[in-house]
Amino acid sequence: MKLIGIVGTNSDHSTNRQLLQYMQQYFSKEAEIEVCEIKDLPAFNEPADKVAPATVQELSNKISAADGVIISTPEYDHSIPAVLKSAIEWLSYTTRPLIDKPVMIVGASHGSLGTSRAQGHLRQILDAPELKARLMPSAEFLLGHSLTAFDDNGQLVFPEKVQELEECFEEFRDFVTINNELVKNHQAKAELNRQFSWELDANGGQN
């Protein structure tokens, strides 16, 4: 199974990056996880031709080729970082690779609550008509006190969180397998979703 892990921040020192790198190593026998950065993507600026910049297209291609996506988001002011929202806006406005793509959301924060509000907002965003990601239901991995969660070798030191992450990841692998089996015969519907536009009504006319 090939998965893409997206670091949902432009911070040079992020425990969300550490979390994805830990998952990449810890679950290496179960899946190949490529950790991808978004910090070098340009800020979203609606292109008249709806063509993605090269860096966005590269990320889009990796998402399309993967069996599933893991997004690790911090929580800034009770929501996701602007850089993550910008990256998602590029994808939703141009290539739309997340349609029918299985997505697992995880998050790490310095406080005790993890990233519960940010994850809730991210679920709402990814359910938008231009995105239509397949979100793993009833599962959140919230890593609080993340500054003390990893040792010098990048290993997660909270045993209860290791067990929780194992269970969540096992569920996600099953979710990816089941989801991809369900959608493989509905490519026409997926392509129709990619053509969605708020500027067109159901009959193809302008609103």
Side-chain angles (χ1 to χ4, degrees):
M1 183 173 290
K2 182 177 180 180
L3 306 174
I4 296 295
I6 297 177
V7 181
T9 177
N10 57 358
S11 174
D12 290 331
H13 305 285
S14 170
T15 50
N16 283 277
R17 183 179 295 106
Q18 283 184 288
L19 176 56
L20 285 177
Q21 290 170 340
Y22 172 79
M23 294 177 68
Q24 181 184 51
Q25 176 269 324
Y26 192 82
F27 298 116
S28 60
K29 293 182 179 179
E30 287 80 25
E32 176 188 345
I33 303 175
E34 179 181 358
V35 177
C36 297
E37 301 282 353
I38 59 173
K39 61 181 180 179
D40 294 326
L41 300 184
F44 178 71
N45 185 14
E46 185 176 308
D49 56 6
K50 293 195 175 184
V51 174
T55 51
V56 176
Q57 186 64 59
E58 181 181 1
L59 176 62
S60 177
N61 292 344
K62 289 181 178 181
I63 293 172
S64 295
D67 297 304
V69 176
I70 305 168
I71 301 176
S72 187
T73 180
E75 183 168 309
Y76 294 172
D77 298 326
H78 293 179
S79 191
I80 65 174
V83 66
L84 178 55
K85 184 63 164 60
S86 176
I88 293 171
E89 286 167 353
W90 275 119
L91 297 173
S92 70
Y93 193 77
T94 58
T95 54
R96 298 180 175 172
L98 287 168
I99 289 177
D100 288 339
K101 188 67 63 173
V103 176
M104 175 183 184
I105 301 174
V106 299
S109 72
H110 300 173
S112 60
L113 297 179
T115 59
S116 58
R117 295 183 181 92
Q119 290 196 30
H121 287 177
L122 185 53
R123 284 180 175 272
Q124 287 183 304
I125 292 166
L126 293 173
D127 198 38
E130 302 93 332
L131 292 158
K132 283 190 175 295
R134 298 289 182 121
L135 297 162
M136 185 170 71
S138 304
E140 288 182 317
F141 181 76
L142 311 172
L143 182 62
H145 302 295
S146 60
L147 287 177
T148 58
F150 299 95
D151 63 21
D152 292 340
N153 296 316
Q155 300 301 301
L156 189 56
V157 299
F158 301 153
E160 71 281 3
K161 283 297 180 180
V162 173
Q163 181 178 353
E164 183 182 339
L165 186 58
E166 288 175 347
E167 293 171 355
C168 285
F169 190 73
E170 183 178 356
E171 288 181 22
F172 184 59
R173 289 178 64 239
D174 291 342
F175 178 69
V176 169
T177 300
I178 294 169
N179 177 81
N180 290 347
E181 185 68 24
L182 286 173
V183 303
K184 70 179 182 180
N185 295 322
H186 300 282
Q187 294 304 312
K189 182 179 178 181
E191 186 56 37
L192 184 63
N193 287 332
R194 289 189 180 89
Q195 303 306 316
F196 173 87
S197 173
W198 287 108
E199 298 172 355
L200 299 176
D201 63 25
N203 298 316
Q206 295 292 327
N207 287 325

